[in-house]
Amino acid sequence: MNLNERSAYNPSRPSSYESPQVKSHTRRPHRKTKTGCLVCKRRKIKCDESRPECSNCIKHSLSCEFAPPKTSILSSSGYRDKLAANGPNDLNLVDLELFHHFCTSTAFTINLDPTMCRLWSNTIPVLGLRHDFVMHSILALGALHIAHLNLEKRDIFTGQAMMHHKAGLAKATPALMEFAEENASAMYLFSALTCLYTYATLRQTDESVLGGKPGVAEWIVLSRQSFSIVRMADETLQTGPLGPMFKAGERRSRLRDQVSYDTFSGAKCLRRLSALITENTPDPRTEEAYRTAIEDLLKIFNVVFAMPMEMRESSDVFGWPFRLTDGYLELLQQPTQEALVILAYFSVLPELLGSKWWLEGFGRHLFSKIYPLINDEHLAWIQWPLDQLGWSPDEAKHPRCR
């Protein structure tokens, strides 16, 4: 056969050296979520993103935790305007020091729960970056903490704390008057930080946080502002960035009902006080206000004394002002002798919390404000708290009522 007669190359036929045609197919898209909880991400399973706890964590009894929301300075026109206005030479190193100290030190002194420590050190600073009144409160508390630790610079940082506290109040007051539910977390956080500031400065000067003459009830009124925000936006707060804070509070609150026996020596005194007040209070509503305040105090004392010092939390104690009835608060603002005596018993509790720098001396100072208002007839009623505090009448700055 002639070589020329061999089959000629036909470009229409596929060559044996050419890749065979592969049937193309489209991969089914897989929806990935970037906002699931951290536990599901670690376990590499799909999260339904239910807040404050996803279904997977509830099913497996795990502590559900969501990452704090990411913020971008460039995504906010407000931040761009601030950066343009301030310029490169307006960096406030003192404020940066206060912010750094809060994130790396102060945040870990507020609560012992690891989840709460992460909340205070990560989530709460993010809210401060979004809301200037929250940032002022963060800086004020950070400054107070430095002042507590550094005696040589106490005056300087106390001054910084006062400045940021007042600036935060000035900016938060209009926002609170025009309350919007989307800002509920920021408003609640500001109120909580203001409470911590109040507790930390009560022992130093009444002018910074109190008003009026005796000022024994004003700090309670201030504390209860947080409660009013919860009533207005409970669901938003529970499912928002501060959700873990409310879950932790609920767990601690349940402890009050788990200790059904008396664990401290003053229980008999409190029960005797309740009987005396009931016997001498003819008005049913007034008697109920006193009785419910004492019953709650009994539960708190029993819980606190049932736990070792290192397990006690401030929320175990300072839930009491939130749960007080309006009737009791009105009696305390008058003030009546019975309401003052009950508050004198409460003043023992902060001193049982151990190393809380922002509560150092709080109970003793509160008792020193109550003692001059107690008349001779009711002086014996406060003997137990007086003994527990190791307090001397010589510490009173004013003469007692008679």
Side-chain angles (χ1 to χ4, degrees), residues 126-305:
V126 170
L127 284 171
L129 293 172
R130 292 179 170 183
H131 304 274
D132 52 1
F133 54 87
V134 173
M135 179 59 75
H136 281 298
S137 295
I138 288 173
L139 299 181
L141 196 63
L144 281 181
H145 191 207
I146 296 177
H148 173 79
L149 297 172
N150 193 332
L151 297 180
E152 293 181 358
K153 297 183 179 180
R154 172 167 291 183
D155 291 342
I156 296 173
F157 284 101
T158 299
Q160 288 290 312
M162 178 69 73
M163 179 188 70
H164 281 295
H165 174 64
K166 290 183 176 179
L169 285 175
K171 293 178 180 180
T173 301
L176 187 58
M177 293 178 66
E178 300 177 2
F179 182 78
E181 194 160 328
E182 59 266 25
N183 294 329
S185 294
M187 295 307 306
Y188 179 85
L189 178 56
F190 172 79
S191 180
L193 286 164
T194 301
C195 286
L196 294 178
Y197 181 92
T198 300
Y199 303 152
T201 56
L202 179 67
R203 64 186 182 275
Q204 297 169 5
T205 171
D206 293 340
E207 294 178 0
S208 62
V209 292
L210 300 177
K213 293 182 179 179
V216 294
E218 280 75 3
W219 68 273
I220 297 179
V221 175
L222 184 64
S223 299
R224 287 165 64 88
Q225 288 181 1
S226 301
F227 183 63
S228 64
I229 296 173
V230 173
R231 285 189 294 186
M232 288 188 288
D234 181 45
E235 185 176 352
T236 300
L237 290 170
Q238 294 280 354
T239 58
L242 301 182
M245 182 182 294
F246 289 92
K247 287 193 295 182
E250 290 171 1
R251 287 195 297 270
R252 302 296 297 195
S253 181
R254 287 194 290 268
L255 292 175
R256 294 184 302 113
D257 299 321
Q258 294 176 5
V259 182
S260 57
Y261 53 91
D262 292 339
T263 62
F264 69 110
S265 61
K268 291 182 179 179
C269 298
L270 262 177
R271 295 187 188 282
R272 192 180 306 120
L273 173 65
S274 182
L276 280 170
I277 291 176
T278 299
E279 183 181 340
N280 293 281
T281 306
D283 180 53
R285 292 182 61 186
T286 302
E287 185 274 333
E288 183 183 8
Y290 291 141
R291 177 169 41 80
T292 54
I294 293 174
E295 288 174 353
D296 200 22
L297 264 186
L298 271 167
K299 291 181 179 180
I300 296 172
F301 269 111
N302 283 328
V303 167
V304 169
F305 274 96

Side-chain angles (χ1 to χ4, degrees), residues 8-183:
Y9 171 72
N10 187 350
S12 64
R13 295 175 59 187
S15 168
S16 60
Y17 295 101
E18 294 181 17
S19 302
Q21 293 183 357
V22 180
K23 186 178 180 180
S24 63
H25 66 276
T26 304
R27 184 180 179 183
R28 182 181 297 176
H30 175 65
R31 180 181 175 272
K32 291 186 177 181
T33 175
K34 295 183 178 180
T35 55
C37 79
L38 299 178
V39 177
C40 288
K41 285 185 178 181
R42 286 194 292 267
R43 298 178 66 205
K44 297 182 179 180
I45 60 176
K46 186 176 180 180
C47 180
D48 64 4
E49 303 179 46
S50 298
R51 293 175 182 259
E53 293 180 292
C54 74
S55 300
N56 289 329
C57 290
I58 293 174
K59 181 179 178 180
H60 297 284
S61 300
L62 299 174
S63 178
C64 191
E65 180 186 357
F66 286 87
K70 295 181 179 180
T71 59
S72 172
I73 291 179
L74 295 179
S75 67
S76 170
S77 60
Y79 269 7
R80 288 199 300 270
D81 293 341
K82 288 182 180 180
L83 290 172
N86 289 339
N89 299 319
D90 293 336
L91 191 62
N92 190 323
L93 294 179
V94 175
D95 286 351
L96 289 177
E97 179 183 0
L98 300 180
F99 187 62
H100 176 265
H101 184 83
F102 179 90
C103 295
T104 61
S105 182
T106 309
F108 297 91
T109 67
I110 298 172
N111 200 288
L112 300 175
D113 187 334
T115 299
M116 291 296 292
C117 287
R118 287 193 294 272
L119 182 86
W120 280 101
S121 61
N122 295 329
T123 306
I124 284 172
V126 170
L127 284 171
L129 293 172
R130 292 179 170 183
H131 304 274
D132 52 1
F133 54 87
V134 173
M135 179 59 75
H136 281 298
S137 295
I138 288 173
L139 299 181
L141 196 63
L144 281 181
H145 191 207
I146 296 177
H148 173 79
L149 297 172
N150 193 332
L151 297 180
E152 293 181 358
K153 297 183 179 180
R154 172 167 291 183
D155 291 342
I156 296 173
F157 284 101
T158 299
Q160 288 290 312
M162 178 69 73
M163 179 188 70
H164 281 295
H165 174 64
K166 290 183 176 179
L169 285 175
K171 293 178 180 180
T173 301
L176 187 58
M177 293 178 66
E178 300 177 2
F179 182 78
E181 194 160 328
E182 59 266 25
N183 294 329

